[in-house]
Amino acid sequence: RLQAAGGAGTGRGRNDGVVFEKPILPRMTESMDLLAWFNTFERALLLSDVPRSQWGRMLPGCMSEKAAKIYSKLSIEECRDYDCVKAHILSGYRIDASVYLAKFRAARRTGSESYNEYAARLDEMCSYYLQSKAITTFAELKGDMLLEQYVGSLPIEVRSFVIGKRP
């Protein structure tokens, strides 16, 4: 079985004929940054060479109470799809592209953070935003930037109408 953070060390595991190192997985808490938690969870699995098809099965033992409630409402098929589970959890916590963008725009370097660490944190937040918007090309990025600027420059009542229409 996989070990949760704070548990025993790693070992060798076998699942569906695939052998991989058992990662020590982080525990999700209600007070932590959910984006950072998912990033840490994914890195632990990547570094242990766990097949992505197995990731959904490893989530339940690491989830917070709120995330577990969201998970329990999903179908078995949805629970097998890691990306689907992640999207539902983020949605349940009301974390979407606008949250990523706001965090990116509000980010400031802290005194204890090196400039390289700050740059890496900005890059990570930008990647979260691009991933949540499914932006993979420069043309898509340009279109998104233009739309954000255009909508942001509209009067508030017009902006509400335009956002309601989801351009």
Side-chain angles (χ1 to χ4, degrees):
R1 290 212 137 349
L2 293 173
Q3 303 295 320
T10 63
R12 305 256 328 144
R14 187 177 298 275
N15 199 341
D16 295 338
V18 179
V19 177
F20 53 87
E21 290 295 319
K22 291 182 183 179
I24 295 178
L25 300 173
R27 287 248 179 237
M28 182 189 298
T29 64
E30 300 299 340
S31 62
M32 69 184 355
D33 179 352
L34 205 55
L35 305 176
W37 182 85
F38 272 111
N39 187 42
T40 303
F41 179 82
E42 292 167 5
R43 284 180 188 219
L45 296 175
L46 285 170
L47 290 171
S48 297
D49 296 320
V50 177
R52 190 170 181 91
S53 63
Q54 303 298 313
W55 290 12
R57 295 178 182 182
M58 298 179 185
L59 278 169
C62 304
M63 291 181 190
S64 66
E65 186 177 334
K66 182 177 179 178
K69 286 179 183 176
I70 295 166
Y71 183 83
S72 70
K73 294 176 184 174
L74 302 177
S75 71
I76 296 298
E77 280 307 308
E78 288 173 317
C79 290
R80 287 187 176 126
D81 182 349
Y82 172 77
D83 293 312
C84 178
V85 173
K86 180 179 176 181
H88 276 88
I89 291 172
L90 292 175
S91 176
Y93 277 82
R94 300 189 192 287
I95 298 177
D96 61 8
S98 64
V99 172
Y100 297 132
L101 186 58
K103 283 187 175 203
F104 177 78
R105 288 184 174 161
R108 300 291 179 265
R109 183 181 158 267
T110 62
S112 63
E113 187 175 42
S114 73
Y115 288 100
N116 284 340
E117 291 169 334
Y118 175 58
R121 190 165 53 89
L122 285 175
D123 181 67
E124 188 173 90
M125 284 185 277
C126 183
S127 294
Y128 288 145
Y129 174 74
L130 296 174
Q131 183 180 9
S132 69
K133 295 280 279 196
I135 295 173
T136 58
T137 67
F138 181 75
E140 291 169 344
L141 176 61
K142 181 180 174 185
D144 184 69
M145 290 175 64
L146 290 171
L147 181 62
E148 285 288 325
Q149 183 64 28
Y150 177 77
V151 170
S153 69
L154 297 172
I156 218 72
E157 58 278 353
V158 176
R159 184 181 315 155
S160 298
F161 174 78
V162 170
I163 290 172
K165 297 292 182 181
R166 298 184 184 221

